[in-house]
Amino acid sequence: MSDVAAAAGVSPTTVSHALSGARTVNAATRVRILSVAHDLGYVPDRVASGLRRRRTGVVGLVGDNIAATPFAGRIIEGARQAGLEHDVLLMVGESGGDPGIEADLIALFLAQRVDGLLIARMYHQRVPRPSVPDDLPVVLVDAAPEKGWLVDAVVPNEAQIAAVACERLTREGHRDIAYVGTTDDTRAAHGRLLGVRSALGDAGIKLGDRRVAFCSSDAVGGRQAGGELLDQDDRPTAIICFNDQIAMGVMQAAARRAIPVPEGLSVIGIDDLHPVADALDPGLTTVALPHAQMGGRAMTRLIERIEGPRPGTDRSVQQLTGWLVERGSVAAPPAS
C-alpha cells in the first residue's frame, strides 16, 4: 500500500480509503490510485483486513452428498455467485451424510474463523442443531431446523411444486391420476404428497388409496410401484412421481407392458435431473427445483446476518417456487 501511495503521490490512508470505499475520495484521485494499484499488481491483504474488521470474508458450506448428487453443483454455484458480489469466499466441505464427519468439518471451519456457515441438504429434510457458537450466523439450504432451533432457512415450496405437476396434467384433460411417492421420511416426501392431494382436490379429483403407491426413491422402486398401478384393470391415465428417478422406473414399467408414453400413459416427474430427464425416450416432463436460487438466497441472507445486527429471536424461512420443464412425456388421455 505504501508503494501505491508513493507512485500515486498520495498518503497510504488515502489509498486505503480509495480501495475499500470506506470513505469518499475525489473521483480523479481514486481512478489514479486504482490505475497505479493495477500496474503494480497490488492485492489487498485479506487477513490484515479481516483482523481490522474482525471478519475473514470467508463462509463455510457443509453438504451431505455433494459428490453423489447433481443438484449440489447448482446450490454451490448459486451460493458462490452471490458471495462474489459481496467479496465473500466460499469454502465447501462434504460429509457424505455422516454426522461425525459433518461435526468435524464444522469444527474445522470454525478454526478457520469463518464469518458464517451454510448447512445444505440435497433433499429437503430436518437438520439437528450443530455445535456452533450462539453468535455465529447460520443459514440452512434445502433443509429445515429441528424443533427448538431458531435459524434462517431457504427451502423449496413443496406443495407449490407438486401443484405445478398436477396442473399440467389436469390442463391436458386427465382426471384419473395416480401418485408414486417415496418411503423416505423427509419434508419433501410429506410436502409433495400433501400438495398433490390439495391440488387435485381443488380440481375436483379425489386421490384414492388405490391411486397412491410408495417405493424407494430410485428407478427400481419406480418400476415396482409403477407396475402395481399399471396392472390394475382400470389403470390411471397419468402418474405423478416424487422424483425423476422414480419416473424413469414408471416409464420402464409401462414399456414392459407395451403401454406407450405419452399416448397410453402420461408421466411427470419432479427435480429436472438432466442425466435422467433428457436421456429418456420420450424426454421426461418434470418440475424443476430452485437449487441455484436457494444457494444464492441463502448466501445473501447469511451476509445480511454477518453485516447487520445479529438476530435475537427473529428467523426467516424463505420458500422458493419451482417451474415446469416441458419435454415429451405428457399428452392428452387416451380415448376411452
Side-chain angles (χ1 to χ4, degrees):
M1 190 176 293
S2 297
D3 292 341
V4 173
V10 298
S11 69
T13 300
T14 302
V15 172
S16 176
H17 292 165
L19 295 177
S20 68
R23 295 186 184 180
T24 302
V25 175
N26 177 276
T29 301
R30 185 171 187 274
V31 169
R32 185 168 76 254
I33 291 170
L34 293 177
S35 177
V36 169
H38 178 269
D39 291 342
L40 294 179
Y42 172 76
V43 178
D45 188 332
R46 292 179 65 96
V47 174
S49 176
L51 289 173
R52 288 193 301 271
R53 297 180 299 136
R54 295 183 180 276
R55 285 173 50 189
T56 60
V58 178
V59 163
L61 182 150
V62 179
D64 56 345
N65 277 296
I66 293 173
T69 309
F71 307 133
R74 304 179 197 175
I75 290 176
I76 293 170
E77 181 60 15
R80 187 187 70 85
Q81 288 286 357
L84 286 177
E85 295 175 7
H86 297 270
D87 195 27
V88 170
L89 178 67
L90 180 67
M91 296 175 62
V92 179
E94 145 119 39
S95 71
D98 186 318
I101 294 176
E102 179 165 290
D104 290 342
L105 283 170
I106 291 174
L108 181 60
F109 282 147
L110 294 178
Q112 296 297 318
R113 298 186 181 277
V114 294
D115 295 329
L117 191 64
L118 297 172
I119 299 178
R121 291 292 183 264
M122 300 308 113
Y123 301 100
H124 189 183
Q125 57 192 272
R126 287 198 179 275
V127 174
R129 179 173 183 169
S131 178
V132 297
D134 291 338
D135 62 348
L136 180 75
V138 177
V139 177
L140 305 184
V141 191
D142 202 7
E146 288 284 4
K147 293 181 179 179
W149 182 25
L150 295 176
V151 67
D152 295 312
V154 181
V155 300
N157 187 329
E158 303 292 359
Q160 178 271 341
I161 287 164
V164 171
C166 294
E167 191 278 334
R168 177 65 185 90
L169 294 176
T170 57
R171 173 160 45 94
E172 201 67 57
H174 289 276
R175 306 291 296 176
D176 192 351
I177 299 171
Y179 176 69
V180 178
T182 176
T183 53
D184 296 338
D185 184 16
T186 64
R187 290 175 64 86
H190 300 303
R192 292 178 198 178
L193 177 57
L194 289 174
V196 168
R197 290 192 186 279
S198 177
L200 292 182
D202 291 343
I205 301 171
K206 177 178 173 56
L207 185 66
D209 292 341
R210 294 181 65 252
R211 290 297 190 244
V212 179
F214 297 97
C215 63
S216 56
S217 299
D218 52 26
V220 174
R223 286 195 298 271
Q224 177 183 348
E228 293 172 2
L229 292 169
L230 296 176
D231 285 340
Q232 296 174 0
D233 292 336
D234 56 339
R235 68 172 186 255
T237 63
I239 298 177
I240 301 170
C241 301
F242 169 78
N243 65 16
D244 292 351
Q245 291 172 293
I246 289 177
M248 177 170 63
V250 169
M251 290 176 67
Q252 291 169 345
R256 290 180 178 181
R257 291 160 177 77
I259 302 172
V261 174
E263 296 82 8
L265 174 73
S266 288
V267 180
I268 188 167
I270 295 174
D271 277 348
D272 193 27
L273 183 59
H274 292 293
V276 172
D278 287 331
L280 291 170
D281 185 19
L284 179 65
T285 294
T286 185
V287 183
L289 298 181
H291 290 102
Q293 292 81 356
M294 285 191 291
R297 290 280 189 91
M299 175 63 87
T300 299
R301 184 56 172 163
L302 186 63
I303 292 170
E304 290 173 352
R305 290 297 193 193
I306 293 168
E307 296 183 343
R310 298 301 167 87
T313 58
D314 64 310
R315 294 294 190 275
S316 68
V317 176
Q318 299 183 50
Q319 294 192 70
L320 305 189
T321 59
W323 58 92
L324 185 71
V325 179
E326 193 76 62
R327 290 188 178 90
S329 63
V330 173
S336 55

